[in-house]
Amino acid sequence: MSETAAAASAPSPTAEAAGTPLDALIATVAQLRGPGGCPWDAEQTHASLVQYLVEETHELVDAIEAGGREEMIEELGDVLYQVILHSDIAEHTEGEAFTVQDVAATLNAKLIGRHPHVFGDVVAETSEDVVAFWDDLKAAEKPERTSVLDGIPQGMPSLGLADKLLGKATKLGLIDSDPDAGIPFGSEDELGSMLLAIVASAKARGLDAERALRSTLRDFQAEIREAEGAE
């Protein structure tokens, strides 16, 4: 075996010190950001990484929708890298001082708390049953939230934000959830063509479809908050 091949096959120092591939990854990121590591990794901040988190998330969506097993593994890894990188930054930032283990512990506690039908004595036989009590669980977790809109990220893509807001408005009884009451279409392919046609028509008229929807959603959120205040 050549020296090059031997070096390529030899485990890295971080891999030797870690017990699982996940442990090895955490150690690798720590080494990248540590003394003698990678200058790019070392200078990153939570804010500077936002653009990469958004990009990697979209790439994962592409892999889920159109890729295969290997693409999904790679893109899930890139998203996981972001999580571990943010955690390592926090571990070495005064006033934050949390690790990826803290992230995992918090998530584990949240999952257990939000699944009393699995880890407690609540009965839920269908997904609808689960959704029915989730809002109550979330409200108990975050009593400082006074509106169903609190916690919804405004930076979501406008269509995703619209879907989220419509779901909240439906639960409040502000809109009709009858599928026959809206614009008729038979499939997602047909819906996609309709949405594309609307955007094309807007573009031909010099209008910004994204801005138009976001403007409407701001007004819609104001209506929801007004309705909540009237209760």
Side-chain angles (χ1 to χ4, degrees), residues 138-186:
K138 292 176 183 178
E141 288 177 2
K142 301 183 182 295
E144 71 278 6
R145 293 182 177 177
T146 59
S147 169
V148 296
L149 302 181
D150 292 345
I152 297 178
Q154 297 300 303
M156 291 177 64
S158 59
L159 283 176
L161 180 58
D163 183 85
K164 193 81 171 177
L165 296 177
L166 288 169
K168 298 296 186 181
T170 300
K171 289 183 178 179
L172 291 174
L174 299 180
I175 61 173
D176 189 354
S177 59
D178 181 3
D180 296 327
I183 301 172
F185 54 87

Side-chain angles (χ1 to χ4, degrees), residues 70-144:
E70 297 305 318
E71 289 83 2
M72 279 192 62
I73 290 175
E74 179 179 355
E75 300 305 336
L76 281 167
D78 288 342
V79 173
L80 178 59
Y81 169 54
Q82 292 293 314
V83 174
I84 295 175
L85 191 53
H86 277 282
S87 299
D88 191 83
I89 291 171
E91 185 175 0
H92 299 90
T93 300
E94 185 176 355
E96 294 183 2
F98 66 80
T99 71
V100 69
Q101 300 297 342
D102 296 314
V103 174
T106 299
L107 174 57
N108 190 53
K110 177 194 279 188
L111 290 175
I112 293 173
R114 288 192 178 178
H115 293 79
H117 53 296
V118 176
F119 302 102
D121 56 6
V122 174
V123 177
E125 297 181 351
T126 67
S127 58
E128 288 78 12
D129 293 337
V130 174
V131 172
F133 63 71
W134 260 351
D135 285 341
D136 292 335
L137 291 174
K138 292 176 183 178
E141 288 177 2
K142 301 183 182 295
E144 71 278 6

